Amino acid sequence: PLYCSPLPPRLLHLRLQVPTCWIRPLEVGQSHVLGENEKVTVTLLDSNHCPGSVMFLFEGSFGTILHTGDFRYSRSMQDEPVLRGRHIDRLYLDNTNCHPQRALPSRQHATRQAIHLIRTHPQHLVVIGLYSLGKETLLVDLAKEFSTWVVVSPWRLEQMRLLELPDVFTTEEGTGWIRAVDVTDICWDMLERWNMLQPTIAILPTGRPMKVTHPNIHLIPYSDHSSFSELCEFVEWLKPCSVIPIVKGDLCQAYFQKYLSPAPQTLPEPKIPKPEPKIPKLVRESAQQQSKRKGWEPCLKRAVQCSVPRGVVFESPEKSTEKSEELLGVQVVQQNYYESAFSLNKDGTCHMDKGKGKEEMSREQSGIAKPAASQAPLPQEHFPTGLAGEYLLVPVSALKQFSAQNFDKLVEDFLRRGETS
């Protein structure tokens, strides 16, 4: 399951076609207890990044862990009751701009830079390059500042409405002189084409160092990630015992050593429960015998190992028994075969399938089954003979419909019918 704030499920379902049964929205600012064997308390906190983004605070036998994900530090985070005075054992930190030379202005200051640039080009169409998500606040601020519509593509307009942003976006060309496009569209060829139709400037709002390929392309240091000074202020205020960067290849722990708290006694690593699939004993033993005979044992072991989820195991919408049936498809076919040959009536009596001839039944009882058109013949040892074997292969769902007394009566009726025949 995917745990997130209440806003992302709309995008997960629309953009990635994630079934809603796998999405678990959790309220921001509230503590939630999750897990079965290993209980974990998780609290979602606004990460001041793109719409719906959050930080995760985990508490359990492993200690207290704060994972920022992508975030932009704001001093208002110090007002979070769940963080004030909280001891943090491990801080997983967004270290995108974790370098003394990555000085960035606030987003408010970067917005003012964009406004000043647009004012100095009053006759120009303004094109802003964006990724699929993020920087929506900048577009809203510019639309309000210049009282104009922001022209976007149909799919981006649909997304803006899902995010419940102000109604400043449209798909009608010519209704507004600010336009949002994909960042990959900001290149030399496109600028030349746009300027042949109308004088145009392009804005790339990013904190990343980029090479400008056209004189009409302007970089605005608008970033949704924390600057280096903001990271230092955040770690100094939080005083965790350790800092773990989440961006690979950029080790920055040395910058925060002076802000860390002494580590307490060694905490255990989070336990990862690995429950075995709930497979009936008879089915499990028979599957093991089949795999040994056919040389499938290594493959079956690998399949089971790959099906075990990694990390903390939460409730799944699918039952483990469904997975076991997929792994043991041969055994399921065998169960269906005996279900057709040996059935139970609602009145508590049992009978053999009358549609089968004596010759066919004798072949089935001796272990020689007539294969279906789409089913390969199974060896004789797959079919245990006798009443006990047949009863054990009756689906559990059918047996649960009867009491123990009815079960005994079924056995007696079956034996009595065998004596008379």
Side-chain angles (χ1 to χ4, degrees), residues 102 129 131 183-184 186 203-213 217-220:
R102 302 294 293 274
Y131 294 104
V183 66
T184 57
I186 307 298
I203 295 177
L204 286 176
T206 178
R208 301 176 181 179
M210 298 183 66
K211 183 179 179 180
V212 177
T213 60
I217 297 178
H218 303 270
L219 295 180
I220 296 295

Side-chain angles (χ1 to χ4, degrees), residues 34-40 60-62 269-271 273 312-314:
L34 305 177
E36 296 178 357
N37 299 330
E38 182 76 9
K39 296 296 183 181
V40 177
S61 60
F62 46 80
E269 290 296 325
K271 296 181 180 180
V312 180
V313 178
F314 297 109

